[in-house]
Each structure stands twice: as structure tokens, then as C-alpha cells.
Amino acid sequence: MSLISYLLEHKPKSFNQLKQIHALLFTTGLKSPIRLSKLIENCFTLKPCINPNYAKHIVNHEIDSNTPFLFNTLIKCTKPNDSILLFANWVSNSSIVYDDHTFIFALGACARFGSLSGLYAGMQIHCRGLKLGFVSDVAVATTAVHFYAKNGRMGFARKVFDEMPVRNLVSWNALITGYSSQERDCVENCEKALVCFKHMLNYGGLGVKPSGSTLVCVLSAAAQLGSLEIGSCVHGYVVKTADGPENDVYIGTGLVDLYSKCGCLEIALDVFAMMKVRNVLTWTAMTTGLAFHGKGKEAIELLYEMKWCNVMPNIVTFTSVFTACCHSGLVEEGVHLFHKMESEFGIRPNIKHYGCIADLLGKAGHLRDAYDFIVGMPNKPDAVLLRSLLGSCRLYGDVEMGEKVGRMLLQIEQDDNRRNLSAPVEDYIGLANVYALANRWDDVSMVREEMRSRGLEINPARSASH
């Protein structure tokens, strides 16, 4: 290995060193597309990325080579928004050729961009790929499926998939992952994910053997549907055709999540116990399962066992533990753990953690403590947190506290909606219900009048048949 290759492989330590290597490539005659591509990648791995424009300078200097190799590398390494702009500028230069990787990296950038502008740009790039015949390539078409799925356009993703002349494992994974990760119409999309998995096993008569990623997505879809039958079948498939869930941390974690959500906590604990490797997701899935079944003490014990196994919990782990405490009524234990989060586990509480503790105190009837806890928060409380406490005030019939929390909630909602200066109808109704519990009908009328003055109306109830 030459000195230059060695330096490129081991990454320059500074921007000056990177420029020196670039100069050596010219003076020694060792310049090649592969080495220049590595140099471009190193421009973006320097921390901090001092001058990403230098990578563009390298590509522009070599643009006469009429090859997209270096430009593709630039699109791959650049931030998504910049990648889209680079592709748009490239399109205006008709003397430069494309290849399939150009569209793969450009569509990939649009998938990562995650906004309407990224969606529109990706659709235009996809159309250009269709016009030039690149979408017939399985990798380009698969990236298009991934792009549409990431943007929540599963209809387009399915159309691209159905029109593919050839599909491979990655293509099926892109579609199944897309269906199982949609937040809108979750049940319908999860059902479609399972149907796709069935078709995948029978594709072309011989079927396509699923990978670990496929099985994880299928388990996720089954868990969201609460389908124990399908999840058990996938479990059996894993045992028969793979190394077993104990050897694959992601499949094992998926099974723990599945059985917990389907009410089979003992089976989830058995799978968890036999796993040889567990990561923070595994521990969190098991903690969430215990929380779901109201096993607060067991969830706390698992948290400390996790720490003993040198796996540090994350913010989701603590949310699960606090939820378990809330379901089990473990007020002292939950509050004590909250105050030890940062000092013992290095996790700074966020708004969800504060909400869990406020909910814990409120549901246990400690309304004054819950209110003081909310007021003492370092950040402004959100509407969800205050609605929870208002519900507890209504549950325990504390009108004075309910009034205070209700007015606080309305003020926050009005501050967050300054354009129409109106809180959601349900918040006014919540406050009115608190007054109604104490037979303070004049105050109920006052709230109703305030709703009318702001143009808020209660939607009339309708039966399911209508």
C-alpha cells in the first residue's frame, strides 16, 4: 500500500492534511477516481466539517472526465437538501451522463429529507429516472419504493413495486418495512405488510428467503395488530430456519415486544431470559411489557439489573418504568427514581418523564404535590400534562385545584394558538365539568358563554349507525 493510500484509508486528521494529500495525488501522478472519491468522503468525515465546498471543488475540477462516479460520491456524502440541489444543477448540464447510482443516491437523499419539498423533488427525480429508463434497474426501483414509503405514500410505493420486472430480497424488505412503519391507517398497513410477507414466501414459485430485517418488520406488524397466531408462526419459522431468537438480538427483541403486547408476558420473559445478547432496545421492550401488565416492582428491578449488566438505559426505558409505577401505584418508588435519573443513570428528564410523574401523583390523589411538581418544572408544561392533572382533579372532586389547572391549561393553549386565540373545545368542557361536580352552575354558564364568544361549538354526538 502506498503512503497516499494509507493516509486516505486512515483518514486525514485536519483540513490542511487533507489538502496536502490532494496535492500529492497530482504531483505524484497517483490521481484516480477511486482515490479522489475517498478524498471526497474524507471531506465530510472531518469533525467539524470545516469546508464541505472543497469536495465540490474536487468534483468540479474533474468534471471534464464525463463520468458520474465522483459526482455520485458527492451526492451520497452531502446533506439531503444539498444533494437535491446538486442533482438539480447537474440536470442543467446536458453534457454529463447519468448512471443508476446517481438516481439511487438522489432518491435516497429525498427519503432522508423528510418534508414536502423533499417529496416533490423526489417525485421529479423519479419521473426523470422513468424517462431515461433507469427505473427498470432493480436497485433504483427499490430505492423509489423506500422513498415513497418514508414519505407516507404507500400507494405510490406499491405501484412502483408492482411494476418492477424483477424483485429481490431488498425490494420486498423495502415494501414490508414501509407498510409496518406507517403511523396513519396503522392496522390496515400492518395487515398489508403481513400479506406481502406471505406473497414473498411464494414469489416465483420458490419464494424469497426472508432476512432478519424482514422478520423483525413482520413481528412488529403482528405486535401492532395484536396477532398472537401470526407472531407464533413467525417464531416457529425462526426456530426452524434460522439460528433461533436467542442468537439474533433484533429478532429476540421483536419477539419480546410481540408476546408482551399480545398478553403473553411469561413467554416474553422466557424469550428474554434465553437471549445470549441483549441491547438497550431488548431491555426497554421487556420493561415496556412489564409496564403494560402493571408490574411496577419488576420493572424497577429490571432497570437495576440492566445497569448491573453494563447496559445503560435510555429515555424510553425510563418512560416505561415510570408508566409501570403509575399502573402499579408505586408513588414513592417512582418519585425517588425520578430524582436519581440524572445523578445515577446520566439521563436528564424530559417532558414525558415529568408527565409520567405528574400523572403518577395525580392518579394517586396527591393533587397538591402534582401541581407543585408541574409548577416547579424547568420547562413550560404542555397541554397533555395539564389535561391529565385536570382529569385527576375531576376524579377526586377537587374543584379548587381543578379550576386552577383548567385556567392554566386554557392560557397555555391560547399562547400556543395566537392566531385564533382559542383553546380546543375539550379543554373548556373539562373545566366546565369540574364546576358541574360542585354544582357551580353559574361558573358552568360562564365557561359556556366564553366558548360562544370565541366561536367554539360542541360537535353533537351521533350513533355508530350514522
Side-chain angles (χ1 to χ4, degrees), residues 190-406:
C190 285
E191 290 174 346
K192 290 180 179 179
L194 296 179
V195 171
C196 285
F197 178 64
K198 180 181 177 181
H199 291 165
M200 172 184 172
L201 296 178
N202 298 317
Y203 178 64
L206 299 175
V208 176
K209 184 178 180 181
S211 65
S213 299
T214 319
L215 296 173
V216 169
C217 290
V218 172
L219 286 171
S220 175
Q224 292 179 71
L225 291 172
S227 177
L228 179 61
E229 181 181 359
I230 294 176
S232 299
C233 291
V234 176
H235 189 181
Y237 180 88
V238 171
V239 172
K240 290 181 180 180
T241 61
D243 293 334
E246 67 273 10
N247 296 314
D248 191 311
V249 64
Y250 299 105
I251 292 178
T253 301
L255 287 170
V256 168
D257 180 58
L258 166 80
Y259 286 120
S260 296
K261 289 179 177 177
C262 291
C264 302
L265 185 60
E266 292 301 322
I267 300 179
L269 287 167
D270 289 341
V271 174
F272 180 82
M274 72 179 181
M275 290 178 65
K276 296 177 182 178
V277 180
R278 306 167 188 155
N279 60 17
V280 65
L281 299 177
T282 314
W283 289 90
T284 300
M286 192 69 257
T287 306
T288 303
L290 292 169
F292 186 78
H293 290 269
K295 303 289 186 179
K297 291 184 178 179
E298 291 84 348
I300 295 175
E301 290 172 0
L302 192 68
L303 177 69
Y304 282 99
E305 183 183 348
M306 179 181 182
K307 181 184 177 185
W308 184 78
C309 292
N310 295 320
V311 180
M312 292 305 296
N314 58 23
I315 57 176
V316 180
T317 314
F318 274 97
T319 302
S320 298
V321 174
F322 291 143
T323 302
C325 291
C326 188
H327 289 171
S328 305
L330 302 177
V331 179
E332 293 183 6
E333 293 86 344
V335 173
H336 177 70
L337 183 61
F338 176 84
H339 291 300
K340 294 176 66 177
M341 274 181 66
E342 191 165 2
S343 61
E344 188 169 342
F345 295 91
I347 302 293
R348 179 173 294 180
N350 63 18
I351 189 67
K352 288 187 178 180
H353 300 136
Y354 280 97
C356 288
I357 299 301
D359 193 39
L360 172 63
L361 293 168
K363 287 182 176 178
H366 303 296
L367 302 178
R368 169 58 62 180
D369 293 335
Y371 178 79
D372 292 340
F373 181 79
I374 291 173
V375 172
M377 287 174 52
N379 299 321
K380 178 181 175 182
D382 62 8
V384 176
L385 193 156
L386 290 172
R387 285 191 194 114
S388 174
L389 182 54
L390 182 61
S392 297
C393 293
R394 190 164 59 247
L395 177 66
Y396 286 95
D398 193 330
V399 179
E400 181 181 354
M401 182 63 70
E403 181 179 18
K404 189 182 296 185
V405 173

Side-chain angles (χ1 to χ4, degrees), residues 49-61:
C49 187
I50 300 173
N51 191 356
N53 289 327
Y54 194 79
K56 299 177 185 177
H57 164 71
I58 296 174
V59 174
N60 290 333
H61 191 272

Side-chain angles (χ1 to χ4, degrees), residues 179-199:
Y179 275 130
S180 63
S181 61
Q182 298 300 311
E183 295 183 0
R184 291 184 58 186
D185 302 322
C186 178
V187 172
E188 180 182 352
N189 282 311
C190 285
E191 290 174 346
K192 290 180 179 179
L194 296 179
V195 171
C196 285
F197 178 64
K198 180 181 177 181
H199 291 165

Side-chain angles (χ1 to χ4, degrees), residues 373-448:
F373 181 79
I374 291 173
V375 172
M377 287 174 52
N379 299 321
K380 178 181 175 182
D382 62 8
V384 176
L385 193 156
L386 290 172
R387 285 191 194 114
S388 174
L389 182 54
L390 182 61
S392 297
C393 293
R394 190 164 59 247
L395 177 66
Y396 286 95
D398 193 330
V399 179
E400 181 181 354
M401 182 63 70
E403 181 179 18
K404 189 182 296 185
V405 173
R407 288 298 176 186
M408 191 176 174
L409 174 60
L410 293 180
Q411 185 60 49
I412 286 178
E413 289 286 10
Q414 289 172 11
D415 290 343
D416 291 340
N417 298 276
R418 291 178 180 176
R419 291 187 177 179
N420 58 17
L421 294 177
S422 59
V425 176
E426 59 266 24
D427 294 336
Y428 284 97
I429 295 173
L431 180 58
N433 289 340
V434 170
Y435 288 137
L437 285 174
N439 295 321
R440 291 170 55 177
W441 302 110
D442 291 341
D443 291 321
V444 172
S445 298
M446 179 187 66
V447 174
R448 298 282 184 174

